[in-house]
Amino acid sequence: SQTIHQWPATLVQPVGSPLSLECTVEGTSNPNLYWYRQAAGRGLQLLFYSVGIGQISSEVPQNLSASRPQDRQFILSSKKLLLSDSGFYLCAWATRVLRSTDTQYFGPGTRLTVL
Amino acid sequence: AQKVTQAQTEISVVEKEDVTLDCVYETRDTTYYLFWYKQPPSGELVFLIRRNSFDEQNEISGRYSWNFQKSTSSFNFTITASQVVDSAVYFCALSEPEETSGSRLTFGEGTQLTVNP
């Protein structure tokens, strides 16, 4: 069966510091991978998605970047954190299906607080 | 552009009551997919159901049921005989398949359901 891991689970960082959040998936190959952010309140905003190694699509221009160095690894980074980067970051994976949609399955999330 | 509206921000019920969570969507595509997810206090999103636009049959899974009506662009979720463990934020989401893989989800703002003993 497939599992998705995220770490760290929680993180407190000062403004201006760098960030690296990691997401890995087990039990599947060639998945689509996604990063979402959930700010205080509720809604989920798609930040990045990837359909393959080195292929990153950005949904919202901002202080963050993403990379996919391996098939089942997705990394969210920042060079200098802003207060507005605080939130709950969720990684998700889905089976790659051309011209269709498969279900996205989410990881446990990382709660980031920028002080 | 696609949009999902969950007008109910918060709902509070007493255990064993039935409760319906509303979801209204907007899309220009004829092919699309609808989802419901549950987010308990732990934070992880748990997948509940996926429905494509060509399948309007209602679905029942235990105490959960879903009513999909294309005529009103709604995909409502009913919990029968609610329990305290049903307390969570529930999200409705919409996806449109794309020419290349990588379909993205558009989420509603979520409904916080509180079931009191």
Side-chain angles (χ1 to χ4, degrees), chain A residues 18-57:
Chain A
L19 173 73
S20 181
L21 303 181
E22 189 163 344
C23 169
T24 58
V25 181
E26 295 177 356
T28 186
S29 297
N30 304 314
N32 290 337
L33 295 172
Y34 308 82
W35 277 113
Y36 290 86
R37 177 169 61 197
Q38 186 178 28
R42 209 167 289 140
L44 283 91
Q45 179 186 41
L46 177 64
L47 302 176
F48 301 94
Y49 68 95
S50 171
V51 300
I53 296 174
Q55 300 178 62
I56 308 295
S57 295

Side-chain angles (χ1 to χ4, degrees), chain A residues 57-99:
Chain A
S57 295
S58 174
E59 286 295 293
V60 183
Q62 56 201 322
N63 188 38
L64 302 169
S65 62
S67 62
R68 185 170 177 174
Q70 300 180 40
D71 181 46
R72 288 168 288 181
Q73 184 184 30
F74 205 22
I75 297 173
L76 184 69
S77 304
S78 173
K79 292 182 179 177
K80 288 186 178 182
L81 283 169
L82 305 172
L83 287 174
S84 57
D85 292 324
S86 293
F88 189 51
Y89 289 82
L90 287 155
C91 181
W93 75 274
T95 300
R96 189 176 306 171
V97 181
L98 288 178
R99 300 187 192 86

